[in-house]
Amino acid sequence: MPPDPRFAWHPEPELIGITDEATSRPPLERLGADAWRTALDYLYDEALRRAIGEPAGYEELRRLFFGPSGRPAPAPEAPQPSAEVLREFTRRLAPHQLNAWHPRSLSYFTPPPLWLSIVGELLAQVTQQGVDVWHAGPSGAFVEEEVIRWLCDLVGFGQEAFGLLTSGGVMANFLALAVVRDVHLARLLELSAAPRGRALEGVRVYASDQAHFSIARALDGLGFPRDTLHVVESDEAFRLRGAAVAEAVRTDRRAGLRPLAIAAVAGSTNTGSVDRLGEIADVADREGLWLHVDAAYGAAACLSERDGARVPDLERADSITIDPHKWFFQAYDIGGLLVRRRADLLATFHSSPEYYRGALPADEPDPASEPLNFYQLGMEGTRRWRALKLWLSWKHLGTQGLGHLVEQTNDLAAYLTRRCADSDDFEVTPPEPELSVVCFRHIPRGASAGGNDANALDRHQDALQGALEASGDGWLSTTRLRGRTWLRAGIVNYLTTEADVDRLLDTFRELARDLPAPASGSGSATTG
């Protein structure tokens, strides 16, 4: 049968009007083969060659991509063959990526995704399920429900717990604090409706100086005054301790303020530190506070029988943020929020638009009784089928296999820490990594880590990071700890080996020889 004449205006009409299998299946198979070949060409020609594409600089790459104008081109008017579009990806885009697959790419919790996760993304997009109202993605809703159950079991939540998948930790933290406002604050104030306006004044939420920026952003977006967040200093290992929170609560109560919640962290972005959740949960229980744990990164440690004890007491939280696109090795994007009581999500987000029939009643929180409509449990209406990729790859590796990858990256972090501690030109903090983040600094011979050399050493770390990025031989970030700049390796790359760690340190030494010696000065260090 000839291609559908309605699409004759396109050079490949059989890729648009696809209803006749005999006509369109062979071209679709060729397109799939071409696309997969393009992906593998990127993997082996670019991603495993350099940790970041070249040129690495923003202005230079912008000129290369957009051309002399430096501005985006107009939208294309005429259609093009798919082969030409894929060639443009290979030519214009593939050489210029931050390459998570490179074994010395140790960046912002960006792992190389598992291949079954990538396949899950493909199948999710082909099926085009909207996991918001049950009828728009019937089995998709069940897959998300099952994955949420697996995650709840992983952190020790009981059968009344539930949750939903999100774009990432920022949205999950936002939803968690919305529940804190509409459920817990309403309970404390003995209100029949969700508190708004002046009812949000005089409230305090406690978090450490290592908490993710999204905690403050969420409080601001939810209408709380700017002084709502009470930042409590972390200890020498960058962990929030129960005694420090208890003292902050006592101080605020004496001032006539209303303590509301604690936002603890299990696996901070800066250092991988894990707040002392048991101590903090004791304070929350004693003071009647909601305990939210941002375990976007660290909850994955529970996949490992060996290392799960590094993140204890998660089951004592009221809500938990978890990000499978970090240490579960998933393709972007997939985060999640878990709550100890599923009814709290309905109480916060329930609505019944007239065009969504069969909506779950506000007083019926059991999805076994009525169709499960995820739009009633969070902010989003249209929702991608994020669960499928995690469902497929978890089945492919099992909890044991995922746990092995977590252990492997923890072992590499310990190895990097030992190598730095045993050297005379690197220092590391904290002395032992709690998870798989290592913060370290290069100290050139003759330089001092303190005194007048401190700012110069800060600039030296930034220069080293920039030189490594330009070389393409590795990639990691810098961060600020206690006012100083450190190189930061976030090791969630299961392709990294001990030899890669050794090469990374040797590369830093070689790059340092070509940099100006750190000189004392009064200039302020740049922030990584």
Side-chain angles (χ1 to χ4, degrees), residues 236-255:
E236 70 284 350
F238 306 99
R239 304 166 301 191
L240 184 62
R241 304 301 297 262
V245 177
E247 177 58 31
V249 170
R250 283 193 294 270
T251 299
D252 285 341
R253 287 203 191 280
R254 285 195 297 266

Side-chain angles (χ1 to χ4, degrees), residues 5-275:
R6 293 176 298 165
F7 306 109
W9 47 265
H10 196 278
E12 295 172 309
E14 64 277 6
L15 295 183
I16 302 175
I18 52 83
T19 53
D20 181 69
E21 182 177 3
T23 301
S24 286
R25 182 163 185 145
L28 286 170
E29 288 179 345
R30 285 195 296 273
L31 175 62
D34 290 346
W36 200 250
R37 187 181 307 109
T38 298
L40 295 181
D41 286 347
Y42 158 72
L43 175 66
Y44 290 109
D45 294 346
E46 302 292 348
L48 291 172
R49 181 177 68 87
R50 285 179 58 94
I52 192 168
E54 50 187 342
Y58 176 81
E59 292 183 1
E60 187 178 0
L61 182 56
R62 184 180 178 91
R63 285 193 299 271
L64 181 64
F65 183 80
F66 289 125
S69 72
R71 299 292 180 184
E77 292 287 345
Q80 299 180 63
S82 59
E84 178 56 35
V85 176
L86 291 174
R87 278 195 293 271
E88 187 166 5
F89 171 86
T90 298
R91 185 178 69 254
R92 293 187 66 199
L93 304 182
H96 310 300
Q97 310 298 312
L98 175 62
N99 297 317
W101 297 97
H102 193 279
R104 289 180 297 285
S105 180
L106 308 176
S107 60
Y108 304 116
F109 294 143
T110 305
L114 296 166
W115 282 96
L116 260 290
S117 180
I118 295 170
V119 170
E121 270 291 276
L122 169 64
L123 296 176
Q125 299 310 315
V126 170
T127 57
Q128 186 74 341
Q129 301 297 286
V131 191
D132 47 1
V133 60
W134 179 75
H135 283 97
S139 62
F142 294 153
V143 171
E144 183 158 345
E145 180 181 357
E146 188 159 68
V147 164
I148 289 294
R149 184 66 257 163
W150 296 349
L151 293 172
C152 286
D153 290 343
L154 187 71
V155 302
F157 273 1
Q159 290 302 308
E160 289 304 308
F162 203 60
L164 75 166
L165 299 178
T166 66
S167 59
V170 171
M171 180 54 69
N173 283 336
F174 183 91
L175 298 180
L177 291 170
V179 174
V180 171
R181 180 191 65 182
D182 289 5
V183 173
H184 193 57
L185 183 56
R187 184 183 301 129
L188 293 180
L189 297 175
E190 299 181 342
L191 297 177
S192 58
R196 297 289 187 271
R198 290 185 177 179
L200 305 182
E201 296 177 359
V203 168
R204 290 294 180 267
V205 174
Y206 304 90
S208 86
D209 48 28
Q210 298 301 304
H212 196 263
F213 72 86
S214 58
I215 299 299
R217 176 182 286 182
L219 291 172
D220 186 52
L222 289 165
F224 287 94
R226 289 195 176 275
D227 60 358
T228 298
L229 185 62
H230 186 144
V231 176
V232 181
E233 186 176 357
S234 57
D235 68 9
E236 70 284 350
F238 306 99
R239 304 166 301 191
L240 184 62
R241 304 301 297 262
V245 177
E247 177 58 31
V249 170
R250 283 193 294 270
T251 299
D252 285 341
R253 287 203 191 280
R254 285 195 297 266
L257 301 169
R258 185 181 298 278
L260 173 64
I262 307 169
V265 62
S268 70
T269 301
N270 266 353
T271 67
S273 58
V274 178
D275 291 345

